[in-house]
Amino acid sequence: MRFELNFRSGKPVYLQVVDQVKAAVASGAAKPGDALPSIRPLAEELRVNRNTVAKAYSELEHQGVITTEAGRGCFISAADSPLNKDARLQLVTEEMDQAVVQAHHLQIDRDEFVRLAEARFDAFALRRTAMR
Amino acid sequence: MRFELNFRSGKPVYLQVVDQVKAAVASGAAKPGDALPSIRPLAEELRVNRNTVAKAYSELEHQGVITTEAGRGCFISAADSPLNKDARLQLVTEEMDQAVVQAHHLQIDRDEFVRLAEARFDAFALRRTAMR
Amino acid sequence: MRFELNFRSGKPVYLQVVDQVKAAVASGAAKPGDALPSIRPLAEELRVNRNTVAKAYSELEHQGVITTEAGRGCFISAADSPLNKDARLQLVTEEMDQAVVQAHHLQIDRDEFVRLAEARFDAFALRRTAMR
Amino acid sequence: MRFELNFRSGKPVYLQVVDQVKAAVASGAAKPGDALPSIRPLAEELRVNRNTVAKAYSELEHQGVITTEAGRGCFISAADSPLNKDARLQLVTEEMDQAVVQAHHLQIDRDEFVRLAEARFDAFALRRTAMR
DNA sequence: GTGGTCTAGACCACC
DNA sequence: GTGGTCTAGACCACG
């Protein structure tokens, strides 16, 4: 599982982690029983404080998304069925709408906007394969 | 103009107001010249402090979305960002990246993502012309 | 960095701080990368509320003069305004007009005024190179 | 006596009037015994509230710069000797420095800055002759 | 320790 | 009535 953090978005980092784990579960990419990265290495990789990762995991446990087993690690709990395609598209649509709104205020036209969508998607895909 | 606040999302309240005003403008629900709700009554309606609404409006003014006239009120301004092209693209890229991250975690593929970008851009453009 | 506040000038305190930081940068006394005083100690030293200093720093960040890193501090940023040329000229024009008004009321003629513009611009440029 | 107001400077309007009257006295352009415009017409001309002009005049009276004679009007009091040239240049220099600082942050070069000084001085001079 | 958000309530400038 | 500035003091996110 890979996390993408944006330190400038104003959204608390621990919530970004929470939301990304929940998204992975919702899509079926993370399945019940899968292990999450342990706190210390993940904190180092993300360059955030251990407390921040711990808070995210604690919140996830509180929401019933994961269970922590002392000394062993954190695991995805037996969870709700993953969301169907429409529901997942709906969640991405909410993010996309934010980008559309920003584009309107900054006078970015349709061509540029679509080119940007392609370019950024490809840039992320490339980074992922490169890290394998 | 109707606002929907979520006090438990972790997203700052003033930013929720900012985003909702920007969305209203981008969707054509608010047009240049329209008056925004006055700070004090809106704060009461939303059950937040006056300063919180003031901070949202101040941020909107910094972003060039509204203009405030002391003693008169706040108004939607004619869209015309004073930022240069690079800065504008950079800001839209940041929003787009959030959608890309969400798409990856929810296993939305490239084709669907680009189709979504086109569809949402067109949806907003259509609503704006319909409101005219 | 030393600040001189005048509480009876009618000029908002936070704007006095903003202008003095900008002046320090323009004169070379503060260089890109330099840390600004932390908000709390500075507020104490200036005998103003913490929020007032925070507002000044927030304004400076909006203007691109500094960058703030939550939990670390505030730093002078590399000068590179994201505004387009028209907007930049417009802002300088507003400052220049205040000098012109003052000059007219104090009966400074055109030649003296232009010589003053050259002399002060050069004085700042010289100080910046000397501080390097 | 002509006033130039800047509603966007953040400086209270009444203080702008106060400072401009004091500048005219300091330069010798306004002499003891000279009448100031009466409150109501001036407020109309400047498009500000009568209270704002009244407050400026009250402040000037408090500072001993003018005297008001009920039913007759406001007059420059017997005043300090007007400032000499150097002192007046010093006052304009303070304003000019603000413009230089702004120019530095907005990457306006020397040529543009000097051209701007000439252009704005001429623009004001032109407006004044046109209104005669 | 750093900066960020929010509240409660004061006073000011302006219409 | 409008928005703007400032204070005092709380809690949060982060290192």
Side-chain angles (χ1 to χ4, degrees):
Chain A
M1 178 149 212
R2 291 208 8 86
F3 295 90
E4 301 287 344
L5 300 185
N6 181 349
F7 292 94
R8 302 178 48 194
S9 70
K11 187 173 186 174
V13 172
Y14 85 97
L15 269 181
Q16 295 184 43
V17 174
V18 167
D19 288 348
Q20 289 179 31
V21 171
K22 286 165 76 176
V25 173
S27 74
K31 293 178 195 51
D34 285 0
L36 271 74
S38 35
I39 291 183
R40 248 180 273 197
L42 180 56
E44 244 170 65
E45 184 194 331
L46 300 180
R47 308 180 60 104
V48 299
N49 193 280
R50 283 195 290 270
N51 296 334
T52 304
V53 177
K55 177 157 190 175
Y57 281 15
S58 148
E59 176 69 18
L60 283 164
E61 186 173 22
H62 185 72
Q63 293 186 18
V65 178
I66 69 175
T67 58
T68 75
E69 303 183 21
R72 294 196 51 242
C74 299
F75 304 87
I76 307 290
S77 348
D80 308 324
S81 59
L83 296 174
N84 64 28
K85 183 88 160 276
D86 279 358
R88 285 182 281 140
L89 263 180
Q90 178 55 35
L91 289 172
V92 180
T93 298
E94 285 167 19
E95 296 290 340
M96 183 63 78
D97 282 357
Q98 293 283 323
V100 171
V101 167
Q102 189 73 292
H104 172 257
H105 284 285
L106 298 176
Q107 294 149 338
I108 302 298
D109 65 28
R110 188 186 195 276
D111 271 9
E112 283 174 306
F113 187 76
V114 174
R115 271 205 305 275
L116 194 63
E118 295 168 337
R120 297 312 296 171
F121 193 98
D122 294 342
F124 269 68
L126 200 61
R127 274 175 54 194
R128 300 220 155 185
T129 55
M131 298 193 77
R132 241 176 243 152
Chain B
M1 185 172 290
R2 297 269 313 126
F3 293 90
E4 302 283 348
L5 297 187
N6 180 349
F7 291 94
R8 304 196 302 188
S9 71
K11 184 173 186 174
V13 171
Y14 85 96
L15 277 182
Q16 296 183 42
V17 173
V18 166
D19 286 346
Q20 288 177 36
V21 170
K22 287 170 76 175
V25 174
S27 71
K31 283 177 273 304
D34 285 0
L36 272 76
S38 307
I39 291 181
R40 269 171 252 226
L42 179 56
E44 222 170 275
E45 183 194 331
L46 300 180
R47 312 186 61 116
V48 299
N49 189 273
R50 178 159 101 74
N51 293 337
T52 301
V53 176
K55 183 167 188 174
Y57 281 15
S58 157
E59 176 66 23
L60 285 164
E61 186 173 25
H62 270 115
Q63 294 188 18
V65 177
I66 69 174
T67 60
T68 80
E69 304 181 24
R72 296 200 51 237
C74 298
F75 306 87
I76 307 289
S77 46
D80 183 21
S81 170
L83 299 177
N84 64 38
K85 188 68 179 281
D86 282 354
R88 302 202 316 265
L89 265 180
Q90 177 57 32
L91 288 170
V92 177
T93 297
E94 283 167 20
E95 294 290 339
M96 182 64 78
D97 282 355
Q98 297 196 26
V100 170
V101 167
Q102 186 76 286
H104 272 101
H105 280 113
L106 290 171
Q107 305 193 301
I108 303 298
D109 69 26
R110 188 186 195 277
D111 270 8
E112 283 171 311
F113 187 76
V114 174
R115 271 204 305 275
L116 191 64
E118 295 170 334
R120 297 313 298 166
F121 193 98
D122 293 342
F124 273 83
L126 195 62
R127 268 197 273 171
R128 278 199 301 279
T129 54
M131 300 289 262
R132 209 169 284 153
Chain C
M1 186 172 290
R2 298 269 309 125
F3 294 91
E4 302 283 347
L5 298 186
N6 180 347
F7 292 94
R8 304 196 303 190
S9 72
K11 184 174 186 173
V13 171
Y14 85 96
L15 277 182
Q16 296 183 43
V17 173
V18 166
D19 286 347
Q20 288 176 36
V21 170
K22 287 170 76 176
V25 174
S27 70
K31 284 177 272 302
D34 285 0
L36 272 74
S38 308
I39 291 182
R40 269 171 252 224
L42 180 56
E44 222 169 274
E45 183 193 331
L46 300 181
R47 311 187 60 115
V48 299
N49 190 274
R50 179 160 100 75
N51 293 337
T52 302
V53 176
K55 183 167 187 175
Y57 281 15
S58 156
E59 176 67 23
L60 284 164
E61 186 173 26
H62 270 114
Q63 293 187 19
V65 177
I66 70 174
T67 59
T68 81
E69 304 181 24
R72 295 201 50 236
C74 298
F75 306 87
I76 307 289
S77 46
D80 182 21
S81 170
L83 299 177
N84 64 36
K85 188 68 178 281
D86 282 355
R88 301 202 317 265
L89 265 181
Q90 177 57 33
L91 288 169
V92 178
T93 297
E94 283 167 20
E95 293 291 339
M96 183 63 78
D97 282 356
Q98 296 196 25
V100 170
V101 167
Q102 187 76 286
H104 271 101
H105 280 112
L106 289 171
Q107 304 194 301
I108 303 297
D109 68 26
R110 188 185 196 276
D111 270 8
E112 283 170 311
F113 186 76
V114 174
R115 271 205 305 274
L116 191 64
E118 295 169 333
R120 297 313 298 166
F121 192 99
D122 293 340
F124 273 83
L126 194 63
R127 267 198 273 171
R128 278 199 300 279
T129 53
M131 300 289 261
R132 209 171 283 151
Chain D
M1 176 149 214
R2 289 205 12 84
F3 296 91
E4 302 287 344
L5 300 185
N6 181 349
F7 293 94
R8 301 179 47 192
S9 70
K11 186 173 185 174
V13 171
Y14 84 98
L15 270 181
Q16 295 185 42
V17 173
V18 166
D19 287 348
Q20 289 180 31
V21 170
K22 286 165 76 176
V25 172
S27 75
K31 293 178 196 50
D34 284 1
L36 272 75
S38 34
I39 291 182
R40 247 180 274 198
L42 179 56
E44 243 171 66
E45 184 194 332
L46 301 180
R47 310 181 58 104
V48 299
N49 193 280
R50 283 194 290 271
N51 295 334
T52 303
V53 177
K55 176 156 191 175
Y57 281 15
S58 147
E59 175 69 18
L60 283 164
E61 187 173 21
H62 185 72
Q63 293 186 18
V65 179
I66 68 174
T67 58
T68 74
E69 303 182 20
R72 292 197 53 240
C74 298
F75 305 88
I76 307 290
S77 348
D80 308 323
S81 60
L83 296 174
N84 64 29
K85 184 90 160 276
D86 279 357
R88 283 182 281 140
L89 263 179
Q90 179 55 35
L91 290 172
V92 180
T93 298
E94 285 167 19
E95 297 288 341
M96 183 63 77
D97 282 356
Q98 293 282 322
V100 172
V101 166
Q102 189 72 292
H104 171 257
H105 284 285
L106 299 175
Q107 293 148 337
I108 302 298
D109 66 27
R110 189 185 194 276
D111 271 10
E112 282 173 308
F113 187 75
V114 174
R115 270 205 305 277
L116 193 63
E118 295 169 336
R120 298 312 296 171
F121 193 98
D122 294 343
F124 270 69
L126 200 62
R127 274 174 57 192
R128 300 219 155 185
T129 55
M131 298 194 79
R132 243 177 240 149

